[in-house]
Amino acid sequence: MPRTFRPRNIPCPVKTCKLWFTNRGGLSNHIKTHNSPAFIRVPSPPPTFPSTADLRDIVDAIFGDEVPNQPANPAQDYEDFAAGLDSETEDLNAEPGEKESITYHPTINGRPCDETGKFLPQNTPPPPWDHPSPDDWTPFEKPTGRADFELADLLYKRDQMPATNIKDLMQIWAGREGHDPPFANAQDLYDTIDSIPLGDVPWQSFTVKYNGPDTGLDAPSWKRKEYDVWFRDPREVLKQQLSNPDFAHEMDFSPKEVRNTASGDRRYCDFMSGRWSWKQADKLAEKEENHGSTLCPIILGSDKTVVSIGTGNTEYYPLYMSNGLIHNNVRRAHRGGVTLIAFLAIPKTDREHGDSDEFRHFRRHIFHGSLSEILQSLHAGMEKYEVLQYGDGYYRRTIYSLGPYIADYPEQVLLACVVSGWCPKCQADADNLDTPGATRRSHALTKALMDSCPKNELWDEYGIISDIIPFTNGFPRADIHELISPDILHQIIKGTFKDHLVTWLEAYLVLEYGRTDADRRLADIDRRIAAAPPFPKLRRFPEGRRFKQWTGDDSKALMKVLLPAISGHVPAEMVLTVQYFLDFCYLVRRSVLEDSDLEELDQLLEKFHESRTIFETEGVRSPQGNRSSFSLPRQHALTHYRTSILEFGAPNGLCTSITESQHIQAVKEPWRRSNKYNALGQMILSIQRTNKLTAARINFQHRGMLDGSLFAGAEEDDDEGGGEDEGHGAEGLKGVQDEDDDGGASERGDILGEVKLARNPVRNLSRNATILSQEIDRPNLPFLISRFLDQQGAESESGSDDESDLAPNLQFQGKIWTYPSAVATFYAPSDRSGVQGMYRERIRAVSSWRGGPPRYDCVFVDHDSERPGFQGLLIARVKLFFKLKHNKRTFPCALVNWYSTIGEAPCPETGMWMVEPDFDGNGLLVEDVIHIDSILRCAHLMPIAGQERVPSYLSHTDTLDAFQAFYVNKYIDHHAFEIAF
């Protein structure tokens, strides 16, 4: 049979959905996803889309296909849900915000104006964008402009194809009769990208060098060298960020005060919800000419990165810029909200001079002087407004202000010009950093001390480096001590957790048991970690790995499973110390924090400080001279988190993980594309071309030129055997369709939350319920299905739950389709979610996973949403996903084993709830059939090992069958922490 190309040219009729399909069956199957049950609160902005009936009418009008009926939303309690599945669905078009109120600054409020700065009357529409005609694909030629652009974007940006491969591809293309290649060769492709008129902020450079005495031939090499600093005009980059139409509904044009209307608590979320921006606006409001303007905070971040260790330890020093108007989720989601603006110089010298005071002084001056020079173009706009066009089309008077600086501790002391070991934000004694009541640092206080104290006293008594002034001193309303942001990654995850607590735990085991027995215990801790049951995105080390060696992402993975692993090996006080710290870490990582959360943070920090003294008692930590056992800058930084949240909003929008994640696209990938010799110039060219393609896509999308299908003129290929063809859009081809995909950030914005069966049913299992029950060794499956259907409203002749009392005709005899997995999509903005805060994860129930043992995941089941946290949830283990049809209705279901809660409260030592599997009177696991609408998401259980050693032969795939009790792991991710408390 000849192969036929099938164009993806059938759009989903829902305006908020960007999926396209190759056949009508795929669309009909997909349309069901827009009528999903709601479990999670509505993300902002609210989605809008047609009702169920409207969707059916649309599809019927286009194709004449009937969309199958879908079950309605479940009730909160599963028993009520089972009896009332046909209840009215929730209104997804309801306006959010019922639980919060927002007050904007009265004068610095971002009033729209015209391009001359004259304010517009209220409700005036924005001026039209000055765009070319909608068929102008410049520099890509008609009529294949879109196809050529998509190909250029694929080859250069997405696939990063080498030049020789591009040349070969064009040669192969030309070999097809009657098909000229879109580009002559790789250079033609590059020239076309270079001629894109968008996204072009040219790179500039300046040179810095030592200008003091002693620069002769005998001087150290660093005094004779010149250092190049490459940068882009931050003002022009900022104009591009602010005018990005992708951010039109993800920006705040004024400082805001957000409050929970029920409790009255203030809520701290996006940057402009903090007090710092409001106070800055108050200062600007003192001048009447500033009224109606937009305060635009400039967020900077810098961090050295190594691109190659084996070829000379090649380092680069990128400087990134964002703005405080965009929401935190945009900054975290890699949507162009953070931009590379410079490569700073990295002076180096030989070992003889590397630690000299003179060389360190030179490096500090180069750093601060370079930052001051790079940011000069913004200085005028900090004193007087300039008129800029924003992503929503309106012009606004805009006043810049230096905002938070994202940096780890070594760079924080460099920025603040303080001695290493001291706090860059307060003047707490370096020997006892946690002394209460320490004075806050400021430029004014530092200047006063410099005027009254000798140099050595400044160093010894105040930790001030006297021969340098921070770069912020030259800009209005800026004080670096106030602007240093919290750093969750280095202060909490890599610092306090990995470098301190984990190291101290091992040191305790060695002190208490000796090296030999300590190694045996550490090996058992490793085995407990390795025995953690499978979970989406859980990093695994099946052979064990001495946990003190975990770094980076390994440290984050260790945080998820450490508490159950150490319980029984170290004193309960140490387990409590780790628990208090993890609770602090997970709470501070939330995307929205309220006043009550800040009180809880204070309590957790106080408990952590009290309980960590166990490490002093056991001899793990001891004072060194006059220095306290816990005078550690990264732990001390935790005391400033409350203030930072009050000032800047939720810390997850200002963490170094944001800038470090930018290294891949901004530094490492361009470096790999270079020839590695004098690579910086090649890297800058690669970055510039990538930016042009990104800007072109944003522009084409905004002009509606990418809304249609590439194959809009092609005939639909009516696939008779299809019905579940994949769509292509925001989720991509992989998305929820690929069985190997565990999930991740979701760009869905048209749902509240859902669990949907996998795309394709299992092919080698019977569709007869009775035969299937024999194939999977679940003989009571037909009875369980019948009981489930009875709960949906069918009349039971006996009214009994006992299988023996049921009439034979109540044994379900219909067809069922089994599925290997389901995909849960839910609102989890504190995790690595999409811009709308949505996250998806795959729940599996298969007899063989990747050719190996079976995998049956555990889930949270909605039980009583009126009760707080885990008290309103149940735990079940899914043994089978299936779909059945009964009385012309379709029921997606799951066969599950239930778990019961142990005790009335969480474990006092670990803070986690405990559960055990349910058994019937015959010693068999209790089974039940539930509607998948009652499933919330995956749950992770960790075994309770107590004092027992985990055998080395135990596989993580056997853990759920081998143990009798489990912890409900609330630390597996941030969403689980929020619901399983």
Side-chain angles (χ1 to χ4, degrees):
M1 178 181 295
R3 292 175 294 178
T4 303
F5 175 72
R6 299 167 61 192
R8 188 177 293 108
N9 63 342
I10 305 174
C12 175
V14 180
K15 291 183 179 180
T16 58
C17 184
K18 298 181 180 179
L19 295 178
W20 291 76
F21 299 87
T22 64
N23 60 63
R24 71 183 70 174
L27 175 62
S28 296
N29 185 69
H30 162 75
I31 218 73
K32 306 170 190 175
T33 65
H34 294 292
N35 305 286
S36 308
F39 288 101
I40 316 299
R41 64 187 180 92
V42 182
S44 180
T48 58
F49 48 85
S51 65
T52 303
D54 292 338
L55 290 172
R56 290 201 188 98
D57 291 342
I58 292 171
V59 178
D60 289 347
I62 298 175
F63 302 113
D65 286 348
E66 182 180 354
V67 180
N69 291 332
Q70 293 299 297
N73 288 346
Q76 294 171 336
D77 182 90
Y78 182 71
E79 294 298 327
D80 293 340
F81 149 71
L85 195 60
D86 288 322
S87 61
E88 185 178 353
T89 58
E90 184 174 338
D91 180 11
L92 299 182
N93 292 319
E95 288 288 335
E98 295 178 358
K99 295 184 179 180
E100 66 179 26
S101 63
I102 302 178
T103 303
Y104 293 97
H105 197 277
T107 52
I108 308 302
N109 50 15
R111 286 182 58 188
C113 62
D114 61 23
E115 57 186 342
T116 67
K118 183 179 178 180
F119 290 125
L120 298 174
Q122 193 172 3
N123 299 324
T124 302
W129 288 91
D130 184 17
H131 284 323
S133 63
D135 63 344
D136 187 350
W137 292 91
T138 302
F140 304 96
E141 298 180 357
K142 302 177 185 178
T144 59
R146 176 174 179 181
D148 291 352
F149 163 72
E150 296 283 10
L151 180 64
D153 188 71
L154 172 67
L155 296 180
Y156 192 85
K157 182 181 174 183
R158 292 158 55 191
D159 189 65
Q160 301 181 19
M161 183 176 288
T164 51
N165 290 5
I166 295 175
K167 181 179 68 175
D168 292 344
L169 175 62
M170 296 304 115
Q171 289 293 324
I172 296 170
W173 199 310
R176 294 172 58 86
E177 184 176 354
H179 292 80
D180 291 333
F183 305 102
N185 48 41
Q187 190 58 50
D188 184 30
L189 170 64
Y190 301 156
D191 292 342
T192 303
I193 297 174
D194 291 339
S195 61
I196 294 176
L198 305 167
D200 190 11
V201 179
W203 284 82
Q204 310 170 52
S205 69
F206 58 84
T207 301
V208 293
K209 64 180 181 179
Y210 177 76
N211 62 355
D214 190 20
T215 56
L217 294 177
D218 294 335
S221 59
W222 62 267
K223 290 186 176 182
R224 294 180 276 111
K225 288 182 180 179
E226 294 185 346
Y227 302 93
D228 292 330
V229 177
W230 287 87
F231 72 102
R232 292 188 285 183
D233 186 343
R235 177 173 168 271
E236 295 301 317
V237 172
L238 194 61
K239 288 167 64 176
Q240 287 192 354
Q241 287 185 358
L242 298 179
S243 64
N244 188 339
D246 277 0
F247 304 157
H249 303 292
E250 298 287 343
M251 300 180 74
D252 294 309
F253 304 112
S254 171
K256 62 184 181 181
E257 181 181 291
V258 185
R259 289 198 177 272
N260 185 320
T261 54
S263 65
D265 279 0
R266 184 163 178 176
R267 310 183 93 180
Y268 302 92
C269 43
D270 302 309
F271 179 78
M272 297 298 280
S273 69
R275 297 179 180 179
W276 180 89
S277 59
W278 195 283
K279 290 186 291 186
Q280 288 280 309
D282 285 343
K283 294 178 182 178
L284 294 176
E286 294 173 359
K287 295 183 178 180
E288 187 174 351
E289 61 266 27
N290 292 335
H291 291 187
S293 297
T294 296
L295 166 67
C296 180
I298 297 157
I299 297 174
L300 299 171
S302 57
D303 181 38
K304 291 180 184 176
T305 183
V306 178
V307 295
S308 175
I309 297 176
T311 57
N313 196 32
T314 306
E315 287 183 296
Y316 292 97
Y317 204 164
L319 174 68
Y320 300 99
M321 184 180 73
S322 182
N323 67 83
L325 302 184
I326 59 174
H327 294 168
N328 285 355
N329 56 345
V330 176
R331 194 175 300 111
R332 293 170 52 218
H334 311 298
R335 286 276 300 276
V338 181
T339 306
L340 173 70
I341 64 168
F343 284 101
L344 303 175
I346 307 178
K348 293 183 179 181
T349 188
D350 53 35
R351 292 187 179 184
E352 181 181 358
H353 302 95
D355 291 330
S356 68
D357 292 340
E358 196 175 22
F359 180 63
R360 288 198 295 266
H361 174 77
F362 174 67
R363 286 190 305 181
R364 286 193 287 265
H365 274 277
I366 276 190
F367 178 78
H368 286 274
S370 296
L371 289 177
S372 181
E373 179 66 23
I374 290 168
L375 299 172
Q376 277 306 306
S377 65
L378 294 168
H379 196 288
M382 297 178 181
E383 301 283 6
K384 180 177 175 56
Y385 69 78
E386 64 173 305
V387 179
L388 301 180
Q389 190 173 24
Y390 283 73
D392 61 357
Y394 285 107
Y395 289 89
R396 290 179 176 86
R397 299 177 179 183
T398 305
I399 303 176
Y400 308 127
S401 189
L402 288 184
Y405 201 112
I406 303 172
D408 60 7
Y409 178 73
E411 195 146 359
Q412 288 179 2
V413 298
L414 175 62
L415 284 161
C417 301
V418 300
V419 179
S420 182
W422 290 74
C423 175
K425 295 184 73 70
C426 73
Q427 294 187 162
D429 188 341
D431 290 333
N432 189 4
L433 285 173
D434 290 333
T435 302
T439 305
R440 303 283 296 183
R441 293 186 186 271
S442 68
H443 286 335
L445 178 59
T446 298
K447 186 177 185 304
L449 291 171
M450 285 183 173
D451 292 340
S452 59
C453 299
K455 182 176 180 179
N456 61 338
E457 185 178 343
L458 289 172
W459 182 287
D460 295 334
E461 299 297 326
Y462 300 101
I464 296 174
I465 299 173
S466 60
D467 55 5
I468 182 71
I469 299 295
F471 79 96
T472 50
N473 192 57
F475 295 89
R477 306 179 305 279
D479 190 322
I480 190 60
H481 306 293
E482 179 185 32
L483 297 179
I484 289 175
S485 68
D487 179 12
I488 295 175
L489 179 62
H490 293 94
Q491 291 166 352
I492 291 182
I493 298 173
K494 290 185 177 180
T496 305
F497 177 70
K498 170 189 168 289
D499 293 340
H500 300 160
L501 293 180
V502 172
T503 302
W504 298 349
L505 290 171
E506 180 178 6
Y508 164 77
L509 291 174
V510 174
L511 285 172
E512 181 69 16
Y513 300 106
R515 183 77 260 179
T516 300
D517 193 20
D519 283 342
R520 283 195 291 267
R521 291 177 176 270
L522 288 169
D524 185 60
I525 293 174
D526 271 346
R527 286 193 291 270
R528 294 184 182 190
I529 293 171
F535 191 83
K537 304 294 184 182
L538 178 62
R539 198 177 184 93
R540 303 205 61 82
F541 294 95
E543 299 300 324
R545 181 179 177 184
R546 294 178 61 151
F547 62 82
K548 71 170 186 177
Q549 300 173 357
W550 292 38
T551 58
D553 288 340
D554 298 345
S555 297
K556 296 177 185 178
L558 183 59
M559 295 178 80
K560 301 173 186 288
V561 295
L562 179 65
L563 271 185
I566 63 174
S567 181
H569 284 295
V570 299
E573 292 88 344
M574 290 186 182
V575 181
L576 273 174
T577 302
V578 178
Q579 183 210 140
Y580 295 145
F581 172 75
L582 289 180
D583 285 351
F584 180 94
C585 174
Y586 277 70
L587 181 57
V588 84
R589 181 65 173 72
R590 287 183 177 175
S591 61
V592 178
L593 292 153
E594 298 188 355
D595 289 334
S596 57
D597 296 317
L598 301 186
E599 295 298 327
E600 186 176 354
L601 283 176
D602 288 343
Q603 295 171 11
L604 288 170
L605 188 59
E606 182 179 356
K607 291 178 180 179
F608 171 65
H609 284 167
E610 291 175 355
S611 62
R612 70 181 177 180
T613 57
I614 183 64
F615 291 102
E616 279 187 329
T617 304
E618 297 295 336
V620 176
R621 299 293 298 171
S622 58
Q624 298 180 357
N626 295 326
R627 195 175 185 89
S628 164
S629 301
F630 304 111
S631 189
L632 303 164
R634 288 182 175 86
Q635 285 199 32
H636 167 72
L638 304 186
T639 63
H640 293 301
Y641 269 67
R642 180 190 177 96
T643 301
S644 294
I645 293 167
L646 293 172
E647 295 295 303
F648 302 141
N652 66 6
L654 296 173
C655 181
T656 53
S657 59
I658 296 174
T659 52
E660 286 201 359
S661 64
Q662 292 289 324
H663 290 342
I664 297 174
Q665 292 184 341
V667 182
K668 297 187 177 183
E669 287 182 352
W671 184 82
R672 295 187 192 111
R673 297 175 72 158
S674 72
N675 63 14
K676 316 302 186 294
Y677 177 72
N678 290 332
L680 185 56
Q682 303 166 59
M683 292 166 59
I684 287 173
L685 184 58
S686 296
I687 294 167
Q688 188 161 304
R689 288 171 176 165
T690 300
N691 289 339
K692 283 177 169 288
L693 287 167
T694 300
R697 178 170 293 280
I698 292 172
N699 182 267
F700 294 155
Q701 184 73 57
H702 181 56
R703 291 157 61 189
M705 298 164 65
L706 301 179
D707 290 347
S709 171
L710 269 172
F711 317 102
E715 293 293 327
E716 177 194 352
D717 180 12
D718 187 5
D719 180 12
E720 296 296 335
E724 298 193 33
D725 187 67
E726 73 271 16
H728 183 220
E731 294 293 304
L733 282 178
K734 212 171 181 182
V736 299
Q737 312 295 355
D738 188 349
E739 275 296 320
D740 283 335
D741 178 30
D742 270 345
S746 172
E747 296 302 327
R748 297 287 297 275
D750 57 340
I751 60 171
L752 304 175
E754 67 177 11
V755 179
K756 305 297 293 184
L757 294 174
R759 174 189 167 201
N760 294 317
V762 177
R763 299 183 182 277
N764 59 350
L765 290 177
S766 174
R767 293 186 177 179
N768 179 278
T770 302
I771 298 176
L772 174 67
S773 67
Q774 298 172 358
E775 291 178 343
I776 64 174
D777 195 23
R778 295 290 187 274
N780 61 343
L781 179 62
F783 159 72
L784 295 174
I785 294 175
S786 297
R787 187 173 66 180
F788 167 79
L789 293 174
D790 184 53
Q791 292 170 342
Q792 312 312 306
E795 294 293 334
S796 171
E797 294 184 4
S798 65
S800 172
D801 285 342
D802 189 347
E803 180 180 4
S804 62
D805 293 337
L806 285 173
N809 59 358
L810 289 182
Q811 301 292 312
F812 180 75
Q813 300 296 324
K815 287 187 177 181
I816 65 175
W817 293 260
T818 58
Y819 292 83
S821 66
V823 175
T825 306
F826 49 92
Y827 185 65
S830 300
D831 291 293
R832 289 191 173 182
S833 54
V835 170
Q836 298 293 334
M838 302 302 290
Y839 185 86
R840 57 182 173 80
E841 69 184 4
R842 188 172 293 276
I843 310 166
R844 292 185 167 86
V846 290
S847 59
S848 177
W849 169 236
R850 292 181 174 173
R855 175 170 172 178
Y856 302 110
D857 290 341
C858 294
V859 293
F860 289 109
V861 178
D862 189 44
H863 171 61
D864 183 0
S865 57
E866 294 298 322
R867 304 185 68 184
F870 185 72
Q871 297 179 50
L873 300 172
L874 300 173
I875 295 293
R877 189 181 184 190
V878 181
K879 307 299 286 190
L880 186 72
F881 282 114
F882 62 95
K883 177 179 68 177
L884 60 89
K885 291 186 178 181
H886 181 71
N887 291 339
K888 298 183 180 181
R889 291 174 57 193
T890 300
F891 296 92
C893 301
L895 175 67
V896 301
N897 296 140
W898 290 112
Y899 289 75
S900 291
T901 305
I902 302 174
E904 300 295 327
C907 168
E909 185 176 294
T910 63
M912 292 185 278
W913 288 89
M914 299 176 289
V915 295
E916 58 185 356
D918 289 348
F919 293 90
D920 61 20
N922 297 320
L924 300 176
L925 289 167
V926 173
E927 294 183 328
D928 201 358
V929 169
I930 64 174
H931 200 291
I932 68 168
D933 286 354
S934 64
I935 295 175
L936 184 60
R937 52 154 299 179
C938 263
H940 189 245
L941 304 184
M942 284 291 291
I944 300 177
Q947 301 291 331
E948 300 296 324
R949 299 290 176 92
V950 175
S952 58
Y953 58 78
L954 179 70
S955 170
H956 67 281
T957 58
D958 300 324
T959 300
L960 293 174
D961 298 314
F963 286 83
Q964 298 178 352
F966 302 87
Y967 294 111
V968 179
N969 188 2
K970 67 178 182 179
Y971 300 112
I972 193 63
D973 56 38
H974 296 281
H975 182 260
F977 182 79
E978 294 174 9
I979 67 172
F981 60 88

